[in-house]
Amino acid sequence: MGSLLWLAVAYVMGSIPFGLLFAKMFCGTDPRTGGSRNVGATNVARLCGTKVGVLTLVCDALKGAIPVAVALSISDSTVFHSLTALAALLGHLYSCFLSFKGGKAVATTVGVFLPLAFWPLVLSGIACLAVIWRSGFVSLGSLTLVTAMPAMLLLGGHWKLVPLALVVMVLVYWSHRENIGRLSRGEEKPWQKKHHDAAQGTDAGAAPEAAADATQAGTVDCGCGCGCDAHKPSTEAAPSQETSDASAHGAEAPVAADEGDKRENEEHDKAPEARAAESKPEDKPAGKTVGKPVSRSGAKPASKSAGKTGGKAADKSAGKSGKSSGQ
């Protein structure tokens, strides 16, 4: 009866949502509505800072370590120890204070193995930190921790705790199923921004050069790598080389036309008779054709002939009239 009661106490202790309490206390936010929407230490650190995240990590580890340490003091049964550890883990995963929702049980896993198998936990923790340092992903390091733990227990001679380690590994993998999916798609958020920049190849020193290369190539870098039409450069923004050349030739065209007109005017002034001979009579102005022959056959116009005939007849008549009056 006492054992079952202690298991219930272990579950309630594991259900205490320290991440939610500290986030609301120190930064006035609910971690369930921001970041990864998780009450674990990683999300709290992302939203409220490293200090609050470390405090959450320590308290989540203690709520697993304290029940197991008490179980070690009241019983020598490895099964009881393992059940106490599982009760605390289930309380963190399915908290009775959060409508049976909770965190991902990584910090509580560290807590329950701390009094049970210290050195195997240290070796697994080193592997976890190395993966986080190299990749920048806390979720990948957490999976490394629970994966390495059964092997380290076997190497350390704690074979009775291997079943507990295997069950814990399954629980942690299940709680990280969304992280595993994001890791496989390359969408997981890194712990620090510099790891993300190094993975994407967009560190601060290379950013200006990449922007210059994109400008010279006539492309726009959006960051997503989608290559959609919205991020393609506008062809109307800058004229092409052919357009520039055409504009340059177009600017020289009026000058050449003016020079041609000048030459034509000079030729017109120098040789008016030559052009008059080449042009047709009907093309000449009306003022110049009056009183001139219509054709080149030598025939005189009727008006001129009539004028001369009329003039001679008038002279003769006048002469005759003068003679008559003299007589």
Short mmCIF file of all heavy atoms in Angstrom, two decimals, residues 265-276:
data_model
loop_
_atom_site.label_atom_id
_atom_site.label_comp_id
_atom_site.label_asym_id
_atom_site.label_seq_id
_atom_site.Cartn_x
_atom_site.Cartn_y
_atom_site.Cartn_z
N ASN A 265 21.29 70.83 -99.45
CA ASN A 265 21.09 72.27 -99.67
C ASN A 265 22.25 72.88 -100.43
O ASN A 265 22.06 73.77 -101.28
CB ASN A 265 20.91 72.98 -98.32
CG ASN A 265 19.62 72.57 -97.63
OD1 ASN A 265 18.66 72.20 -98.32
ND2 ASN A 265 19.59 72.65 -96.31
N GLU A 266 23.47 72.42 -100.11
CA GLU A 266 24.63 72.94 -100.84
C GLU A 266 24.56 72.57 -102.31
O GLU A 266 24.84 73.38 -103.20
CB GLU A 266 25.91 72.40 -100.21
CG GLU A 266 26.16 72.99 -98.83
CD GLU A 266 27.39 72.37 -98.18
OE1 GLU A 266 27.97 71.45 -98.83
OE2 GLU A 266 27.74 72.78 -97.07
N GLU A 267 24.20 71.31 -102.60
CA GLU A 267 24.08 70.89 -103.98
C GLU A 267 22.99 71.68 -104.70
O GLU A 267 23.08 72.02 -105.87
CB GLU A 267 23.78 69.40 -104.05
CG GLU A 267 24.94 68.54 -103.57
CD GLU A 267 24.58 67.07 -103.56
OE1 GLU A 267 23.40 66.77 -103.91
OE2 GLU A 267 25.44 66.25 -103.22
N HIS A 268 21.92 72.01 -103.96
CA HIS A 268 20.82 72.78 -104.55
C HIS A 268 21.27 74.18 -104.93
O HIS A 268 20.92 74.73 -105.97
CB HIS A 268 19.66 72.83 -103.55
CG HIS A 268 18.46 73.58 -104.07
ND1 HIS A 268 18.34 74.95 -103.95
CD2 HIS A 268 17.34 73.14 -104.72
CE1 HIS A 268 17.22 75.35 -104.49
NE2 HIS A 268 16.58 74.26 -104.97
N ASP A 269 22.13 74.79 -104.04
CA ASP A 269 22.62 76.14 -104.33
C ASP A 269 23.64 76.16 -105.46
O ASP A 269 23.73 77.11 -106.23
CB ASP A 269 23.24 76.74 -103.07
CG ASP A 269 22.19 76.93 -101.99
OD1 ASP A 269 20.99 77.03 -102.36
OD2 ASP A 269 22.56 76.96 -100.80
N LYS A 270 24.47 75.13 -105.60
CA LYS A 270 25.53 75.11 -106.59
C LYS A 270 25.01 74.80 -107.98
O LYS A 270 25.51 75.32 -108.98
CB LYS A 270 26.58 74.08 -106.18
CG LYS A 270 27.37 74.50 -104.95
CD LYS A 270 28.40 73.44 -104.60
CE LYS A 270 29.19 73.86 -103.37
NZ LYS A 270 30.19 72.83 -103.00
N ALA A 271 24.06 73.96 -108.15
CA ALA A 271 23.64 73.51 -109.49
C ALA A 271 22.15 73.61 -109.65
O ALA A 271 21.46 72.61 -109.76
CB ALA A 271 24.11 72.09 -109.74
N PRO A 272 21.59 74.80 -109.68
CA PRO A 272 20.14 74.89 -109.88
C PRO A 272 19.73 74.56 -111.30
O PRO A 272 18.66 74.04 -111.54
CB PRO A 272 19.83 76.35 -109.53
CG PRO A 272 21.11 77.07 -109.72
CD PRO A 272 22.20 76.10 -109.41
N GLU A 273 20.62 74.93 -112.29
CA GLU A 273 20.27 74.69 -113.68
C GLU A 273 20.26 73.21 -114.01
O GLU A 273 19.42 72.74 -114.78
CB GLU A 273 21.26 75.41 -114.59
CG GLU A 273 21.19 76.93 -114.41
CD GLU A 273 22.22 77.62 -115.29
OE1 GLU A 273 22.97 76.88 -115.95
OE2 GLU A 273 22.24 78.86 -115.31
N ALA A 274 21.20 72.47 -113.40
CA ALA A 274 21.25 71.03 -113.67
C ALA A 274 20.01 70.34 -113.18
O ALA A 274 19.44 69.48 -113.85
CB ALA A 274 22.49 70.43 -113.02
N ARG A 275 19.54 70.75 -112.00
CA ARG A 275 18.34 70.13 -111.51
C ARG A 275 17.13 70.56 -112.28
O ARG A 275 16.18 69.83 -112.46
CB ARG A 275 18.14 70.47 -110.02
CG ARG A 275 19.13 69.77 -109.10
CD ARG A 275 18.65 69.79 -107.66
NE ARG A 275 18.26 71.15 -107.27
CZ ARG A 275 19.12 72.07 -106.84
NH1 ARG A 275 20.40 71.77 -106.78
NH2 ARG A 275 18.70 73.26 -106.50
N ALA A 276 17.15 71.82 -112.78
CA ALA A 276 16.01 72.29 -113.56
C ALA A 276 15.89 71.53 -114.85
O ALA A 276 14.80 71.26 -115.35
CB ALA A 276 16.15 73.79 -113.83
#
